Every structure is written in C-alpha cells, then in structure tokens.
Amino acid sequence: MTEEVDTTTFEISADDGTTDEVTVPTGLLDLVAEGDQTDAETVGDVTLLSLASRAHHIVHHGQESDEELEAQEARIMDLFEERFGVTYGEATGHQH
C-alpha cells in the first residue's frame, strides 16, 4: 500500500557544492502548504521551522550551550522571523 502513495523528490544544493535528495509523500506537501505555495516553498518552510525548533530545544531545553551555539540559535530565529513575519514564539506559542 505504501508504494501506491505518490512522492516528490527534491534536490538540495549547498554553497560548498554538496548535494542531497529527499523524497516525501506528495500528499503531505499538500497538507502543510500555505495557500498557493509551491512544493519547494513548502519544503523550505518546513526545513526552516525544523531547524529553528531544534536550535531552540538545544539552547533552551537541552544540555549546556555556549556563546557560539546561542549565536546560531539567534540567527535562525532572525531568519525565521524574516521568512514568516512573526517570531518563533508567536508562531509556536512557545515563548521564554
């Protein structure tokens, strides 16, 4: 049954020239897309949200962090707000 589910594959390219591919169920893209968002925009949003969530967890709920890690978390939060127009706390209801 799982092979009957349509999938979409994305290629990811990094500044250092490395690449990767990720394949996801197409229906999930439709489920989480905002309005008329493209599949690529949806994956971009999910990626940024995931990284922001993980960074927040590591810095605020994980083991000890240092200045460099805190700077990385602050930068992803700035990028989050630039992309979504709201803070991570406003978007998730999780504020400190």
Side-chain angles (χ1 to χ4, degrees):
M1 177 169 186
T2 60
E3 291 181 15
E4 297 172 10
V5 173
D6 290 336
T7 59
T8 302
T9 300
F10 297 88
E11 183 173 317
I12 303 164
S13 300
D15 290 343
D16 66 2
T18 59
T19 63
D20 194 13
E21 287 187 352
V22 61
T23 301
V24 298
T26 305
L28 287 179
L29 295 171
D30 297 337
L31 181 67
V32 301
E34 296 284 328
D36 60 353
Q37 209 174 29
T38 67
D39 289 349
E41 289 170 325
T42 300
V43 169
D45 282 359
V46 170
T47 300
L48 190 59
L49 175 60
S50 178
L51 288 170
S53 176
R54 292 194 64 181
H56 172 84
H57 179 77
I58 292 167
V59 169
H60 298 285
H61 304 287
Q63 299 175 358
E64 293 181 31
S65 64
D66 58 23
E67 286 184 22
E68 176 62 23
L69 185 54
E70 290 172 7
Q72 296 293 323
E73 191 255 357
R75 182 65 177 129
I76 194 71
M77 293 305 166
D78 290 343
L79 294 168
F80 184 97
E81 190 169 352
E82 287 175 23
R83 185 168 183 119
F84 296 111
V86 295
T87 67
Y88 177 80
E90 291 168 332
T92 63
H94 186 87
Q95 300 183 25
H96 291 267

